Amino acid sequence: MEGRTIRFIRRGELVALSNVPPTRTLLELLREDLAATGTKEGCGEGDCGACTVVLGELEGPGDAPRIRYRAINACIRLAHSIDGLALWTVEDLAGPQGELHPAQEAMVQCHGSQCGFCTPGFVMSLFGMYQNHVARGNPVTRELAQQELSGNLCRCTGYRPILDAAQAMAQLPAVAVDEVALVAQLQLLQREASSNVCYLAPASLDGLLAARARHPHAQLVAGCTDVGLWVTKMHREFAQVLDVTRAAELRRVDTQGDRLRIGAAVTLADAFDALVAERPELATFAARFAGLPVRNSGTLGGNIANGSPIGDSMPLLIALRATIVLASTRGERELPLEDFYAGYRQTVLAPDEVLVWIKVPLASPLPSPPPRGEGVTSSPSPAAVGATVVAPSPAGGGSGWGLLRAYKISKRYDDDISAVCLVIEMRLDGRGVVADISIGAGGVAATPARARRTEDLLRGQPWTENAAQQAATMLRQEFQPISDMRASAAYRSQVLGNLVRRFWLETQGTEHINLERVIPELAPQAAGSAA
Amino acid sequence: MNMRATEFTSATGGGPAGPADAGERNLAPATQSPHRATSGGPACGVPRPHESARAQVAGSATYVDDIPEVKGTLHAAPILSTVAHGRLLAVDASAALAMAGVRGVVLADDIPGDPVLATFVHDEPVFARETVNHVGQVIGIVVADSVMQARRAARQVQVQIEPLPAVLSPREAHAAQSYVLPPVTVRRGEPEAALARSAHRLSGQLEVGGQEHFYLEGQVAYALPLEQDQWYIHSSTQHPGEVQHWVAHALGLENNAVTVECRRMGGGFGGKETQAGHMAVWAALAARKFGRPVKLRLDRDDDFLITGKRHPFAYDWEVGFDDAGLVTALKLTMLANCGFSADLSGPVADRAVFHVDNAYFLSDVEIASYRCKTNVQSHTAFRGFGGPQGVIAIEAILGDIARHLGLDPFDVRMRNLYGIEERNVTHYRMKVEDNILHPLLAKLEQTSQYRQRRAAIAAWNANSPVIKRGIAVTPVKFGISFTATFFNQAGALVHVFTDGSVQVNHGGTEMGQGLHTKIMQLVADELGVPFERVRVTPTETGKVPNASATAASSGTDLNGRAAQFAARNIRDNLAAFVCGLDGCGAGAVTFRGGEVITPSTTRSFDEVVKAAYANRIQLWSDGFYRTPKIHYDKTTLTGRPFYYFAYGAACSEVAIDTLTGESRVLAIDILHDVGTSINPAIDIGQIEGGFIQGVGWLTTEQLVWNGEGLLTTHAPSTYKIPATGDVPEHFRIELWPEPNPEDNVFRSKAVGEPPFMLAISVWEALREAASAALAGGAVRMDAPATPENVLRAVTGSLPGG
């Protein structure tokens, strides 16, 4: 069929493939059409990372562009979505005489491969880290490696040697990508924008809205980290796909007045970076959102529009009082995020509409809760370290304080879906009265939800232990969670209230209440010894 | 010449690799402990990288699905039961057959040979016939031109099933006396009388969940028709010989018509011991029906639904003990959830019985083992093979005893250890001759600073209202040998070519554990040639026949010795040849560093080989090994089932959140016994990997079947194996410095399974933390310790939960 061509740069050369169906995955393209079997399928749902490859994309101003490197899952990525990009697979890293790339050599020397099946995925995640950190002169710490590899599963090694390899890459002779040549190639590709009728990827917002109006039945994708599973697991085929992620206006984060405006096509990785830059205490929550390859493909708009009751960005954005903008050729409308959801996986999005912006109020400095209670030391308490700085409420005067906490409860710490997600932002006035509160909850109802009754109960009340207890009880009454493979209804309900208890303790500056900050009880001798 | 070998035996140890080329930079992150110099040759004892490492990192290591497809290859996908138990009334494939690319279906009627798999008990149909026995049971397969066509079509096959009552838990099955195999009881002394006499008594129940293998490479087989009704099968299997046997049996052919090859697996862990055979049989049946090559690669979700897991266990126990925590009597009932057929459940449940003692002497004891039949997947081998399910029972009991008496659990464990001169006979009547538990535990107690940390943690907990920490040391004593004595045999072939290069082939399979690497090291040293001169070739039933499964941690012990013997035969031939040239005795010839040295002359190995060939000396040989000393009575489970024991101990520190039940592992110290290590890097890799896999079993990895018997944790999105964030920075492994006292290959010890059970230290540490939350009270906690199970343990119960 006309217009089914995909063009991308691999190994410094243009690859052009025609007649690619719109639902063919990048992994199928690699393994079956290009016989590039180095990239493996482990799960077909973007959860194991065996299929990780790296994409290169032009970024920055037209006169000084640079390459942005992203490790992504090939198994749930539609092949057409890499049109116009650069691609690296595990076969593409070694030199002409087979000299291994530092990402590969470090894995060999640190014994990072056993069965070897996850290895190509790890190597590609390491290559992404190499380009994004080592090649820019920044070290790869154990913590960074742990975060950026959390989307790659290994069943053999126990990860220690792989984390060692990540930290060791920089010690090996450097290998550089010829970015000058690659930029020129990608610019050439961009000028020859393809017109692809079965896979529409308009480059502008106007183009996107026009296409949406013309093709209301096309499957909308915005990163495809969930729709990809409809293809691989539910065996769906789409005659036509409309990809929102190439619309330039929707790929930006900017500030409009007192609000941060995030384009719907901004990746989850970049969107969380922007939110964390505003509110550093969200860093842990952001790092625990899926694995990096999913955050690199998935978009904030896609996560919201997908409407899953267990997505983690919505409880956060609801608590931050985010609004969203829906647009069509008829015009725009803006609504609070919680009003977007009409039922289980149902939204108010009209057939000709596209979610275009997410607007989040900016944070502004306000003191953290003052440390109180016995046993509090003069150094910043763990709670104070994590305490947020939120905007003063109009009623609060200058002496109030605020706290934002985002809690995620899951079986596994990293790359898991919440059994319960609860985000609370509270502001107290100078008299210790709750001036404002917003609570977003996930995993406890058919949609991401705002805990309005609990908010109403607390608003205007003095923030006391009794008030917190009442709030816990109310929160448990407000939601009727279900039992599933992630947790029982009883557990979810219990934890909802217990998290309010934790929030209370955090406002009181109680120490040692965050698991991620507990360090082992090792005497200096044991900690310093290698044996 | 391998310049690196001696360098690495002395200092750098397990962390770094010996780079392939001298002069390359050695990264050497020295996080793991040095290993001692050994008396071995230059290849053995060296932390060499895995023989496939360079290919694996380059993406050029081939797995079954990567083999270039023969023209005309078709693809298959399974038709699954959606009912846990029912009468299979009809299968209507018309909708599927009408779909593009679909070639047809293969059902039970298409089986030319035996429609029941050639398993020991002969109780498992190739395809469901008449009844279905679990959700996910395979009823047939759809064959199509592409994988996705086959998978789409398989969902369109209409299967009519009349539901029957299903049994989903082992306790239900036990109540109904529904078993796949008869119960077994092992008894010593008078446990009832001893219980009555005991100063203290406790009783309890425990439920321990199963575990999905989650090999990264899913199950796959590729069946190719050859001429004259012969078949070539590429299989990702730990047991090519059994795949060969099963395929021949289903096709109604003799074994000599089927050849099975496995170059490597993308992980096995026991999950490809019997389970891989199913894929091969299904693919072969389709290949026969359509006369075309057929590949069957399971989607991950189907793999979860179809294949067996680690056996979940339920326990009832009653224990008697004295004031010091010494166990004086034990009665234990173990209910193994075997699923719908026997598979390997008999030997798995046996090994659980054998390992209830773990490291401890049980004087008056009765262990009753029930092999419960349920309407779920047929549970199978998984690293430890029932051992973990035995060990966790006694460790849980000792933890409970210590907390009941207010004693340090470490002291209670030390008090119960096997003795040296007395209290040294297991409940299955095997004498523990090589006991190193006392010095090993004492050393770990020191190096981990267990006592100081335990005191510091108690003080910390006293001031911490929400987070509680715990620390625990648990040992392991794991019996090495297949309990089915006849499996303890192996063969190998070594070829020396006229240029002096060496090929080795053996009956073991490579699943990532480094077996091939170790065998190349052993053969290199036996012939005195550099490691680089030796290559290993894919495991193939046509080369070494009748090989046992690569399982029971025995791969190197068995195949390594067989390969060593094969190489020794060639060396003897060459030695006799040069003796003739130089007029010396054979004992005066040494093979070292690629040279053959007699008192008068030093020649290169290549030169000797070339001359020997010209003189018509045999340059290839087989080797065969069978494990000595072992025997046991299958009916009473008594005798010497194991050649030796592997030992180890771990100290783990954890923290729990009493508001949510979440937990973190904070620090791990391990001291483990691998005898003299053939390859310290590989052995440390096995210890670390096995330990973390064990942590997964006991913490995040939860299998959830719903009320209809559907496994709802179906893929990595819902079934959570450990990820990078679950491994603490403080993760120290030290190797015990003594050789294996038994005459095992290179005086090494098997390492694949024993470290898995060290993860029980994490579970016991979690129970210590929970006990701290309960102000020292008794802890009832089931495994895995998910946040929900931990919260239930620290709150007594959950409302409605």
Side-chain angles (χ1 to χ4, degrees):
Chain A
M1 188 196 283
E2 183 88 19
R4 286 179 155 200
T5 299
I6 302 176
R7 299 146 322 133
F8 57 92
I9 306 295
R10 184 174 179 224
R11 298 176 188 167
E13 291 176 5
L14 175 71
V15 180
L17 297 162
S18 50
N19 272 332
V20 181
T23 42
R24 193 141 184 88
T25 66
L26 178 55
L27 184 62
E28 290 174 314
L29 187 92
L30 285 170
R31 291 186 59 84
E32 297 176 18
D33 301 341
L34 298 178
T37 54
T39 308
K40 311 300 183 195
E41 176 179 297
C43 68
E45 60 174 16
D47 261 293
C48 79
C51 64
T52 306
V53 297
V54 170
L55 297 179
E57 191 172 3
L58 285 182
E59 193 182 63
D63 54 341
R66 57 177 221 169
I67 309 286
R68 173 74 183 261
Y69 299 87
R70 288 191 178 96
I72 58 110
N73 293 307
C75 71
I76 50 171
R77 180 93 180 198
L78 296 182
H80 280 276
S81 73
I82 71 157
D83 186 60
L85 308 184
L87 170 72
W88 290 266
T89 74
V90 70
E91 292 101 335
D92 306 335
L93 302 191
Q97 265 73 54
E99 318 91 286
L100 297 180
H101 186 276
Q104 299 170 312
E105 185 64 41
M107 282 285 278
V108 172
Q109 293 195 24
C110 295
H111 307 282
S113 71
Q114 287 187 21
C115 86
F117 203 80
C118 70
T119 307
F122 272 101
V123 165
M124 294 315 292
S125 282
L126 289 174
F127 172 66
M129 291 169 72
Y130 189 84
Q131 291 303 121
N132 288 328
H133 304 290
V134 178
R136 293 176 189 176
N138 299 319
V140 174
T141 62
R142 187 181 186 279
E143 187 186 7
L144 178 75
Q146 178 260 306
Q147 282 179 9
E148 298 212 349
L149 295 173
S150 69
N152 290 90
L153 297 178
C154 170
R155 193 54 153 165
C156 295
T157 62
Y159 300 106
R160 191 274 308 164
I162 299 174
L163 294 171
D164 284 351
Q167 296 166 81
M169 288 191 292
Q171 298 165 35
L172 291 164
V175 173
V177 169
D178 183 354
E179 293 196 345
V180 175
L182 186 57
V183 164
Q185 285 175 310
L186 291 175
Q187 282 174 328
L188 199 63
L189 268 190
Q190 276 193 336
R191 279 198 288 276
E192 297 168 359
S194 72
S195 58
N196 194 330
V197 293
C198 68
Y199 194 94
L200 304 161
S204 69
L205 179 56
D206 284 348
L208 175 64
L209 298 181
R212 189 65 187 145
R214 268 201 311 279
H215 306 286
H217 300 296
Q219 175 61 47
L220 213 55
V221 299
C224 219
T225 53
D226 193 49
V227 174
L229 274 74
W230 305 359
V231 173
T232 61
K233 298 297 177 175
M234 295 157 71
H235 307 155
R236 298 260 301 267
E237 290 179 291
F238 310 122
Q240 194 175 40
V241 170
L242 176 55
D243 184 341
V244 308
T245 62
R246 297 300 175 95
E249 297 92 327
L250 304 190
R251 295 157 57 92
R252 296 183 198 131
V253 179
D254 55 21
T255 303
Q256 283 204 328
D258 61 352
R259 295 200 292 176
L260 191 70
R261 192 179 71 152
I262 302 171
V266 172
T267 63
L268 287 158
D270 291 351
F272 275 115
D273 280 353
L275 290 169
V276 170
E278 275 268 298
R279 298 171 168 89
E281 69 279 9
L282 293 176
T284 300
F285 186 78
R288 290 180 63 190
F289 188 106
L292 184 61
V294 165
R295 293 199 298 272
N296 275 342
S297 260
T299 59
L300 189 61
N303 194 241
I304 290 169
N306 185 262
S308 165
I310 47 177
D312 281 337
S313 63
M314 292 81 90
L316 172 66
L317 292 169
I318 287 171
L320 295 178
R321 297 150 203 275
T323 58
I324 56 170
V325 178
L326 309 181
S328 70
T329 51
R330 295 176 288 120
E332 290 188 355
R333 54 178 175 145
E334 183 167 344
L335 59 160
L337 174 56
E338 57 269 29
D339 295 346
F340 181 59
Y341 301 107
Y344 178 71
R345 290 219 175 223
Q346 289 181 332
T347 68
V348 300
L349 195 72
D352 65 340
E353 273 183 325
V354 178
L355 167 62
V356 290
W357 311 110
I358 300 98
K359 295 183 177 177
V360 185
L362 294 177
S364 57
L366 192 75
S368 316
R372 280 187 229 162
E374 292 177 24
V376 174
T377 60
S378 56
S379 61
S381 72
V385 170
T388 217
V389 233
V390 297
S393 78
S399 59
W401 53 267
L403 186 67
L404 165 69
R405 292 296 293 167
Y407 302 117
K408 170 174 179 163
I409 311 301
S410 54
K411 283 184 196 169
R412 189 172 69 198
Y413 185 73
D414 283 313
D415 192 7
D416 196 358
I417 289 166
S418 297
V420 175
C421 178
L422 189 73
V423 184
I424 305 175
E425 187 177 57
M426 187 176 75
R427 309 154 202 236
L428 297 190
D429 66 17
R431 295 162 295 135
V433 168
V434 178
D436 212 350
I437 180 149
S438 55
I439 304 174
V444 292
T447 67
R450 184 161 185 165
R452 291 186 193 279
R453 288 165 58 197
T454 309
E455 291 176 6
D456 290 347
L457 175 85
L458 285 174
R459 203 173 286 113
Q461 267 211 57
W463 179 238
T464 63
E465 184 158 17
N466 185 40
Q469 272 172 13
Q470 286 177 29
T473 305
M474 176 60 85
L475 196 59
R476 288 186 184 126
Q477 285 170 6
E478 194 165 357
F479 298 107
Q480 285 74 46
I482 57 163
S483 291
D484 65 10
M485 80 294 273
R486 294 198 173 85
S488 71
Y491 173 79
R492 287 181 158 119
S493 199
Q494 178 80 15
V495 163
L496 266 181
N498 287 4
L499 290 175
V500 178
R501 170 76 188 160
R502 173 189 304 285
F503 188 77
W504 161 257
L505 291 170
E506 299 209 41
T507 64
Q508 302 311 296
T510 309
E511 290 194 295
H512 305 318
I513 58 174
N514 287 301
L515 213 43
E516 61 261 39
R517 295 198 190 91
V518 180
I519 54 166
E521 194 65 53
L522 299 169
Q525 189 188 337
S529 132
Chain B
M1 155 108 206
N2 176 12
M3 301 294 292
R4 311 291 303 182
T6 43
E7 257 174 71
F8 274 92
T9 49
S10 55
T12 37
D21 310 303
E24 267 183 46
R25 274 190 76 177
N26 171 23
L27 294 170
T31 56
Q32 297 307 14
S33 54
H35 101 105
R36 298 214 170 177
T38 68
S39 58
C44 290
V46 179
R48 284 206 155 271
H50 192 283
E51 50 84 20
S52 289
R54 298 181 78 80
Q56 288 165 339
V57 299
S60 58
T62 305
Y63 301 79
V64 171
D65 194 39
D66 304 336
I67 297 168
E69 285 166 16
V70 172
K71 199 172 176 184
T73 292
L74 300 176
H75 299 268
I79 303 161
L80 305 182
S81 170
T82 53
V83 172
H85 187 205
R87 235 182 299 282
L88 180 57
L89 302 177
V91 179
D92 174 7
S94 53
L97 292 173
M99 293 172 71
V102 174
R103 299 286 169 153
V105 296
V106 184
L107 301 168
D109 289 345
D110 295 309
I111 302 168
D114 189 342
V116 180
L117 289 170
T119 59
F120 292 122
V121 182
H122 203 61
D123 64 345
E124 193 169 346
V126 172
F127 294 123
R129 297 175 307 160
E130 292 163 17
T131 60
V132 294
N133 283 292
H134 71 96
V135 176
Q137 187 173 4
V138 176
I139 291 163
I141 54 174
V142 173
V143 181
D145 291 344
S146 78
V147 181
M148 287 308 282
Q149 284 171 338
R151 289 181 184 171
R152 277 192 198 99
R155 300 251 180 113
Q156 301 308 315
V157 175
Q158 304 300 314
V159 180
Q160 207 185 328
I161 300 168
E162 179 192 331
L164 295 169
V167 175
L168 298 176
S169 83
R171 290 194 187 275
E172 270 177 82
H174 184 45
Q177 302 208 335
S178 166
Y179 308 118
V180 294
L181 289 164
V184 170
T185 297
V186 170
R187 189 179 160 92
R188 171 163 72 182
E190 291 300 330
E192 294 81 9
L195 267 175
R197 279 199 306 273
S198 296
H200 304 272
R201 268 191 278 177
L202 276 177
S203 62
Q205 287 196 332
L206 177 65
E207 316 284 324
V208 173
Q211 186 177 26
E212 159 63 34
H213 302 83
F214 207 79
Y215 24 65
L216 261 288
E217 177 208 34
Q219 300 275 0
V220 57
Y222 185 23
L224 298 156
L226 305 178
E227 64 170 55
Q228 300 182 60
D229 214 7
Q230 295 177 83
W231 302 84
Y232 200 86
I233 315 285
H234 294 280
S235 171
S236 179
T237 176
Q238 293 172 239
H239 199 173
E242 186 164 62
V243 172
Q244 174 198 23
H245 182 190
W246 282 17
V247 168
H249 191 78
L251 294 180
L253 299 170
E254 292 197 283
N255 287 348
N256 64 8
V258 179
T259 303
V260 177
E261 179 190 302
C262 177
R263 172 58 182 90
R264 63 171 62 79
M265 283 162 273
F269 316 111
K272 293 172 181 171
E273 187 170 342
T274 57
Q275 305 295 294
H278 299 72
M279 300 335 107
V281 168
W282 297 329
L285 287 168
R288 181 187 171 278
K289 179 164 179 174
F290 297 101
R292 300 265 291 266
V294 173
K295 185 154 77 179
L296 176 50
R297 167 170 64 88
L298 289 185
D299 177 74
R300 179 63 67 176
D301 289 57
D302 289 345
D303 199 322
F304 266 73
L305 280 180
I306 294 167
T307 63
K309 327 282 175 216
R310 178 185 298 285
H311 291 66
F313 268 55
Y315 310 81
D316 295 300
W317 53 267
E318 188 172 11
V319 65
F321 49 98
D322 69 10
D323 292 341
L326 185 77
V327 173
T328 44
L330 175 66
K331 287 195 75 165
L332 172 69
T333 299
M334 297 199 283
L335 309 178
N337 181 345
C338 300
F340 80 99
S341 73
D343 187 73
L344 296 169
S345 295
V348 166
D350 286 353
R351 191 170 271 269
V353 171
F354 288 133
H355 284 80
V356 163
D357 62 340
N358 191 22
Y360 314 107
F361 177 71
L362 302 172
S363 57
D364 293 82
V365 57
E366 182 181 280
I367 301 162
S369 167
Y370 296 91
R371 292 96 205 269
C372 300
K373 181 175 180 174
T374 57
N375 292 110
V376 299
Q377 294 80 356
S378 185
H379 294 314
T380 192
F382 195 144
R383 199 177 204 163
F385 203 74
Q389 293 97 319
V391 172
I392 196 170
I394 192 68
E395 294 300 340
I397 290 167
L398 291 178
D400 282 354
I401 289 172
R403 283 182 285 274
H404 181 78
L405 295 172
L407 299 173
D408 183 336
F410 184 80
D411 293 331
V412 170
R413 292 190 163 95
M414 290 299 283
R415 203 155 286 147
N416 280 286
L417 291 180
Y418 276 107
I420 305 300
E421 298 297 335
E422 48 180 20
R423 292 168 51 83
N424 62 359
V425 176
T426 66
H427 54 298
Y428 48 90
R429 317 293 194 272
M430 175 171 171
K431 190 172 172 193
V432 182
E433 292 173 340
D434 55 359
N435 185 352
I436 54 169
L437 287 161
H438 299 81
L440 188 145
L441 278 159
K443 183 172 182 197
L444 182 67
E445 181 198 349
Q446 290 302 316
T447 56
S448 69
Q449 300 193 307
Y450 168 77
R451 301 281 183 183
Q452 299 93 310
R453 288 165 66 191
R454 182 173 156 83
I457 286 166
W460 191 92
N461 282 342
N463 290 314
S464 175
V466 174
I467 307 297
K468 299 291 182 186
R469 297 199 291 192
I471 188 168
V473 173
T474 64
V476 69
K477 163 186 129 291
F478 192 77
I480 301 299
S481 292
F482 284 99
T483 53
T485 305
F486 64 91
F487 278 149
N488 296 288
Q489 57 175 309
L493 275 178
V494 174
H495 299 171
V496 175
F497 294 97
T498 52
D499 62 354
S501 65
V502 182
Q503 262 189 2
V504 56
N505 188 280
H506 59 90
T509 55
E510 177 65 40
M511 61 195 98
Q513 82 280 41
L515 171 62
H516 286 348
T517 313
K518 285 183 174 177
I519 284 182
M520 289 159 72
Q521 290 175 285
L522 288 163
V523 168
D525 282 357
E526 202 61 37
L527 294 173
V529 299
F531 178 83
E532 291 73 18
R533 301 301 301 281
V534 183
R535 284 182 189 266
V536 71
T537 56
T539 312
E540 206 218 62
T541 55
K543 280 206 159 185
V544 173
N546 310 325
S548 298
T550 307
S553 307
S554 67
T556 305
D557 289 10
L558 299 176
N559 298 290
R561 252 292 149 76
Q564 206 178 36
F565 288 169
R568 192 166 296 167
N569 291 339
I570 301 164
R571 192 187 67 185
D572 288 348
N573 291 349
L574 293 174
F577 172 64
V578 293
C579 287
L581 298 179
D582 292 4
C584 62
V589 185
T590 49
F591 290 73
R592 194 174 61 219
E595 292 177 329
V596 181
I597 304 157
T598 69
S600 60
T601 316
T602 294
R603 300 175 177 86
S604 77
F605 182 78
D606 295 0
E607 190 186 327
V608 171
V609 164
K610 196 175 287 177
Y613 171 75
N615 283 277
R616 297 181 293 169
I617 305 294
Q618 186 177 345
L619 292 174
W620 56 274
S621 175
D622 65 321
F624 182 77
Y625 175 70
R626 57 180 179 174
T627 311
K629 295 188 179 179
I630 51 176
H631 61 88
Y632 95 103
D633 181 333
K634 270 169 71 173
T635 51
T636 59
L637 298 196
T638 54
R640 177 172 180 165
F642 307 121
Y643 184 32
Y644 62 88
F645 294 105
Y647 298 94
C651 175
S652 297
E653 182 183 339
V654 304
I656 63 170
D657 181 331
T658 57
L659 288 174
T660 61
E662 297 163 284
S663 67
R664 306 287 291 155
V665 179
L666 301 176
I668 302 160
D669 293 90
I670 291 174
L671 177 55
H672 195 77
D673 163 34
V674 298
T676 306
S677 178
I678 295 169
N679 185 322
I682 284 174
D683 286 343
I684 286 171
Q686 288 296 297
I687 294 166
E688 291 173 324
F691 185 90
I692 294 299
Q693 197 172 59
V695 172
W697 172 50
L698 295 171
T699 57
T700 55
E701 295 184 39
Q702 187 178 33
L703 293 165
V704 180
W705 283 270
N706 71 12
E708 281 72 53
L710 171 69
L711 180 65
T712 56
T713 45
H714 58 87
S717 53
T718 46
Y719 182 79
K720 310 311 284 189
I721 71 167
T724 50
D726 297 308
V727 180
E729 186 165 8
H730 182 98
F731 188 12
R732 302 256 158 82
I733 318 292
E734 192 175 356
L735 301 181
W736 183 252
E738 288 181 333
N740 188 343
E742 292 293 348
D743 181 24
N744 200 48
V745 63
F746 199 63
R747 293 283 174 175
S748 69
K749 285 192 177 184
V751 69
E753 293 167 294
F756 183 92
M757 279 145 280
L758 295 177
I760 291 169
S761 60
V762 167
W763 190 70
E764 275 299 292
L766 288 166
R767 297 208 316 148
E768 277 288 299
S771 178
L774 295 164
V779 179
R780 168 81 164 90
M781 188 168 84
D782 291 328
T786 57
E788 184 159 354
N789 279 342
V790 171
L791 189 64
R792 187 172 286 127
V794 298
T795 56
S797 67
L798 288 172

